[in-house]
Amino acid sequence: MKTINLGLVLLLISSITISAQHRGNYNEITSDISRQNILSSGNAKIYNPTVQQQINQTLYPSNVLTVDVKALQNASATTYTAIFNLSQIGPSAEKTNQLMKERIDSIKYRLNAKGITQKNIAIDVISFIPIYEVEVTKKLFSKTYTEVPKGFELQQNIHIQFTKTNQFESILEACAQSEVYNLVKVDYYIDNIQEVYKNLQDELLKLIDEKKNYYQALGFDMATYDIAIADDKYCYFPKDFYQSYQAYNSVSVEALDKNKGITTAKKQTSYYYQPLTYENYDVVINPSILEPVVQIGMNIKLVFTPKPKEKKETPKIETKIDHKYYIISPNGTIDVKELNTKK
């Protein structure tokens, strides 16, 4: 009976494992697809209700025209710089510096054999401080605790520049052989970034002309509109887009073999590169990528509002009024005089 139960348990575990392999560990970050991404409607299931909402959204006409275009370019780095941290302790300043120099010289020698020369390596001294320990001195009726120098600690960063991603494996190997394991970061550099921005501008101008011609074909006279503009550009590096997840399995199979209770296994945290997706962009240059890249983008937004109609001035009609006054004499005669208002 125990054999049958164990077989059933293993069968269930195998089916769960196969399911996880088909959809990958990445899906474990979000909720189950049956609970989050599927919406029931009648007898059919609608996949991704957000898309359905976008398709069926209500449009509101307006005489204000908007041209909002976005472009993205995936650019491979021209050079890379890997930074490793080294820490060395020794009994004296001279000995500490000597031990550090031997480790760095060993790295340089191994890298030179891989085609990375001295001009591609730079040393950055971080700190050089003494190390103190507490020394206890016993006396007849008391003890004294005194800090005394016991050695020195030297920290340096080694900057290694390379041009091809496959060289990084050799760099890691050379550093590990010299007992250097602390990789601080890897920086990406592009020499021709202005050319990338110029290329994006040209692509956006083409899109703007196409959109203006589209409005023109619909009957809008673009010459009768005032224009307002806003633009933006940005540059993102691979370090900005690494995300983490934990492995799906968390139960130890060994516990089942020993007929013991379930043992929770430690989940390993893994990382993966998740670049910007393309659904919000009108044009993407070099969309298919194999390795992490630098993503450079540019947005331009134009708003066309109708020019205010010129008001026609009503011509003024001047009315000439003759001003007269009357003088009545005591004997009853009336004398008419004209009042001259011009000076």
Side-chain angles (χ1 to χ4, degrees):
M1 181 63 66
K2 292 182 179 180
T3 304
I4 295 175
N5 291 339
L6 179 59
L8 290 174
V9 172
L10 291 176
L11 178 60
L12 290 173
I13 294 176
S14 299
S15 63
I16 294 173
T17 303
I18 293 172
S19 175
Q21 287 175 347
H22 279 290
R23 59 186 179 174
N25 292 330
Y26 166 75
N27 288 335
E28 299 306 323
I29 303 172
T30 59
S31 301
D32 196 316
I33 190 171
S34 64
R35 287 180 283 123
Q36 177 169 330
N37 293 332
I38 294 181
L39 175 68
S40 297
S41 176
N43 295 325
K45 292 183 180 295
I46 302 175
Y47 180 76
N48 200 336
T50 303
V51 174
Q52 295 296 325
Q53 185 178 5
Q54 176 69 25
I55 295 173
N56 299 320
Q57 68 174 333
T58 304
L59 301 179
Y60 299 95
S62 173
N63 62 346
V64 177
L65 308 179
T66 302
V67 177
D68 190 357
V69 290
K70 299 179 181 180
L72 180 72
Q73 179 166 339
N74 296 320
S76 299
T78 51
T79 58
Y80 309 84
T81 298
I83 301 177
F84 291 84
N85 177 264
L86 297 80
S87 180
Q88 179 66 54
I89 59 175
S92 64
E94 294 79 8
K95 185 63 176 178
T96 304
N97 189 51
Q98 178 186 349
L99 293 173
M100 176 66 80
K101 186 176 182 302
E102 290 175 356
R103 294 172 65 188
I104 292 179
D105 288 344
S106 174
I107 295 174
K108 291 180 178 179
Y109 174 78
R110 291 186 171 92
L111 291 179
N112 187 68
K114 301 294 184 179
I116 301 176
T117 59
Q118 176 68 36
K119 67 177 183 179
N120 303 119
I121 301 174
I123 305 300
D124 181 18
V125 179
I126 304 302
S127 64
F128 192 32
I129 57 175
I131 301 174
Y132 294 92
E133 291 184 0
V134 177
E135 186 178 80
V136 181
T137 304
K138 295 183 178 180
K139 295 184 179 180
L140 183 59
F141 298 105
S142 63
K143 293 182 180 179
T144 59
Y145 300 87
T146 307
E147 282 190 341
V148 295
K150 290 295 184 179
F152 291 84
E153 181 186 35
L154 174 60
Q155 280 200 42
Q156 293 183 356
N157 285 345
I158 178 170
H159 298 230
I160 305 171
Q161 188 179 75
F162 56 102
T163 57
K164 298 179 181 178
T165 54
N166 56 12
Q167 292 177 298
F168 189 57
E169 185 177 350
S170 300
I171 295 173
L172 288 174
E173 181 181 353
C175 290
Q177 290 175 349
S178 300
E179 298 179 352
V180 177
Y181 313 105
N182 189 2
L183 172 64
V184 180
K185 63 175 181 176
V186 178
D187 290 326
Y188 289 61
Y189 297 96
I190 298 179
D191 293 336
N192 59 339
I193 191 168
Q194 291 301 327
E195 294 181 10
V196 176
Y197 281 126
K198 180 63 171 60
N199 189 28
L200 291 174
Q201 285 180 356
D202 294 340
E203 293 295 332
L204 289 177
L205 288 176
K206 293 178 184 178
L207 291 174
I208 292 173
D209 287 339
E210 291 177 1
K211 200 64 177 285
K212 290 171 67 176
N213 292 334
Y214 170 71
Y215 285 139
Q216 200 84 25
L218 291 176
F220 293 92
D221 185 3
M222 306 305 294
T224 62
Y225 281 79
D226 290 327
I227 306 176
I229 183 174
D231 60 351
D232 184 29
K233 63 180 180 179
Y234 47 86
C235 179
Y236 290 117
F237 294 89
K239 63 181 179 61
D240 301 317
F241 293 108
Y242 274 92
Q243 298 184 15
S244 63
Y245 72 95
Q246 288 186 328
Y248 177 74
N249 293 331
S250 61
V251 178
S252 174
V253 180
E254 183 180 356
L256 300 176
D257 293 337
K258 295 181 180 180
N259 197 21
K260 295 182 179 180
I262 295 177
T263 302
T264 302
K266 182 180 179 181
K267 297 180 181 180
Q268 180 182 1
T269 300
S270 302
Y271 296 87
Y272 65 97
Y273 174 61
Q274 179 61 57
L276 289 173
T277 55
Y278 304 151
E279 64 266 18
N280 295 324
Y281 290 93
D282 300 282
V283 59
V284 179
I285 303 172
N286 302 330
S288 180
I289 59 175
L290 177 62
E291 61 186 29
V293 293
V294 180
Q295 294 191 294
I296 305 170
M298 182 174 291
N299 307 337
I300 296 180
K301 185 174 184 178
L302 300 174
V303 177
F304 299 85
T305 54
K307 292 182 179 180
K309 296 181 179 180
E310 296 181 358
K311 296 181 180 180
K312 295 182 179 180
E313 296 183 359
T314 304
K316 295 181 179 180
I317 302 176
E318 295 184 0
T319 303
K320 186 177 181 181
I321 302 176
D322 295 332
H323 298 276
K324 297 180 180 181
Y325 63 93
Y326 301 87
I327 300 175
I328 303 175
S329 62
N331 57 8
T333 60
I334 299 175
D335 188 9
V336 180
K337 300 286 186 180
E338 184 177 353
L339 179 63
N340 185 11
T341 58
K342 296 181 180 180
K343 296 182 179 179

